[in-house]
PDB file of all heavy atoms in Angstrom:
ATOM      1  N   VAL A  73      15.043 -18.569  25.244  1.00  0.00           N
ATOM      2  CA  VAL A  73      15.882 -19.692  25.747  1.00  0.00           C
ATOM      3  C   VAL A  73      17.246 -19.553  25.131  1.00  0.00           C
ATOM      4  O   VAL A  73      17.398 -19.950  23.919  1.00  0.00           O
ATOM      5  CB  VAL A  73      15.229 -21.088  25.331  1.00  0.00           C
ATOM      6  CG1 VAL A  73      16.047 -22.152  25.983  1.00  0.00           C
ATOM      7  CG2 VAL A  73      13.880 -21.097  25.877  1.00  0.00           C
ATOM      8  N   PRO A  74      18.263 -18.986  25.746  1.00  0.00           N
ATOM      9  CA  PRO A  74      19.518 -18.742  25.239  1.00  0.00           C
ATOM     10  C   PRO A  74      20.073 -19.956  24.554  1.00  0.00           C
ATOM     11  O   PRO A  74      20.127 -21.129  25.108  1.00  0.00           O
ATOM     12  CB  PRO A  74      20.471 -18.386  26.480  1.00  0.00           C
ATOM     13  CG  PRO A  74      19.413 -17.797  27.466  1.00  0.00           C
ATOM     14  CD  PRO A  74      18.123 -18.633  27.252  1.00  0.00           C
ATOM     15  N   GLY A  75      20.524 -19.714  23.257  1.00  0.00           N
ATOM     16  CA  GLY A  75      21.121 -20.831  22.526  1.00  0.00           C
ATOM     17  C   GLY A  75      20.139 -21.718  21.861  1.00  0.00           C
ATOM     18  O   GLY A  75      20.490 -22.638  21.061  1.00  0.00           O
ATOM     19  N   LYS A  76      18.863 -21.562  22.044  1.00  0.00           N
ATOM     20  CA  LYS A  76      17.754 -22.458  21.601  1.00  0.00           C
ATOM     21  C   LYS A  76      16.626 -21.562  20.934  1.00  0.00           C
ATOM     22  O   LYS A  76      15.627 -21.259  21.487  1.00  0.00           O
ATOM     23  CB  LYS A  76      17.216 -23.338  22.551  1.00  0.00           C
ATOM     24  CG  LYS A  76      18.201 -24.257  23.105  1.00  0.00           C
ATOM     25  CD  LYS A  76      17.569 -25.224  24.136  1.00  0.00           C
ATOM     26  CE  LYS A  76      18.604 -26.145  24.613  1.00  0.00           C
ATOM     27  NZ  LYS A  76      18.024 -27.179  25.579  1.00  0.00           N
ATOM     28  N   VAL A  77      16.863 -21.288  19.589  1.00  0.00           N
ATOM     29  CA  VAL A  77      15.966 -20.434  18.846  1.00  0.00           C
ATOM     30  C   VAL A  77      14.576 -21.050  18.792  1.00  0.00           C
ATOM     31  O   VAL A  77      13.554 -20.411  18.988  1.00  0.00           O
ATOM     32  CB  VAL A  77      16.563 -20.168  17.433  1.00  0.00           C
ATOM     33  CG1 VAL A  77      15.571 -19.443  16.534  1.00  0.00           C
ATOM     34  CG2 VAL A  77      17.799 -19.408  17.465  1.00  0.00           C
ATOM     35  N   GLU A  78      14.583 -22.413  18.471  1.00  0.00           N
ATOM     36  CA  GLU A  78      13.334 -23.138  18.360  1.00  0.00           C
ATOM     37  C   GLU A  78      12.497 -23.210  19.476  1.00  0.00           C
ATOM     38  O   GLU A  78      11.307 -23.480  19.523  1.00  0.00           O
ATOM     39  CB  GLU A  78      13.600 -24.514  17.625  1.00  0.00           C
ATOM     40  CG  GLU A  78      14.283 -25.407  18.572  1.00  0.00           C
ATOM     41  CD  GLU A  78      15.702 -25.163  18.632  1.00  0.00           C
ATOM     42  OE1 GLU A  78      16.366 -24.530  17.865  1.00  0.00           O
ATOM     43  OE2 GLU A  78      16.393 -25.742  19.648  1.00  0.00           O
ATOM     44  N   SER A  79      13.110 -23.090  20.711  1.00  0.00           N
ATOM     45  CA  SER A  79      12.362 -23.206  21.944  1.00  0.00           C
ATOM     46  C   SER A  79      11.996 -21.786  22.595  1.00  0.00           C
ATOM     47  O   SER A  79      11.343 -21.732  23.484  1.00  0.00           O
ATOM     48  CB  SER A  79      13.237 -23.846  23.050  1.00  0.00           C
ATOM     49  OG  SER A  79      13.641 -25.170  22.561  1.00  0.00           O
ATOM     50  N   SER A  80      12.439 -20.724  21.813  1.00  0.00           N
ATOM     51  CA  SER A  80      12.048 -19.372  22.441  1.00  0.00           C
ATOM     52  C   SER A  80      10.733 -18.999  21.791  1.00  0.00           C
ATOM     53  O   SER A  80      10.563 -18.729  20.635  1.00  0.00           O
ATOM     54  CB  SER A  80      13.258 -18.431  21.926  1.00  0.00           C
ATOM     55  OG  SER A  80      14.498 -18.820  22.530  1.00  0.00           O
ATOM     56  N   GLU A  81       9.877 -18.517  22.764  1.00  0.00           N
ATOM     57  CA  GLU A  81       8.518 -18.118  22.378  1.00  0.00           C
ATOM     58  C   GLU A  81       8.664 -16.799  21.591  1.00  0.00           C
ATOM     59  O   GLU A  81       7.774 -16.552  20.760  1.00  0.00           O
ATOM     60  CB  GLU A  81       7.656 -17.855  23.635  1.00  0.00           C
ATOM     61  CG  GLU A  81       6.284 -17.499  23.391  1.00  0.00           C
ATOM     62  CD  GLU A  81       5.463 -18.533  22.708  1.00  0.00           C
ATOM     63  OE1 GLU A  81       5.857 -19.710  22.631  1.00  0.00           O
ATOM     64  OE2 GLU A  81       4.376 -18.221  22.151  1.00  0.00           O
TER      65      GLU A  81
END
Side-chain angles (χ1 to χ4, degrees):
V73 182
K76 296 185 178 181
V77 175
E78 66 286 343
S79 301
S80 298
E81 184 67 15

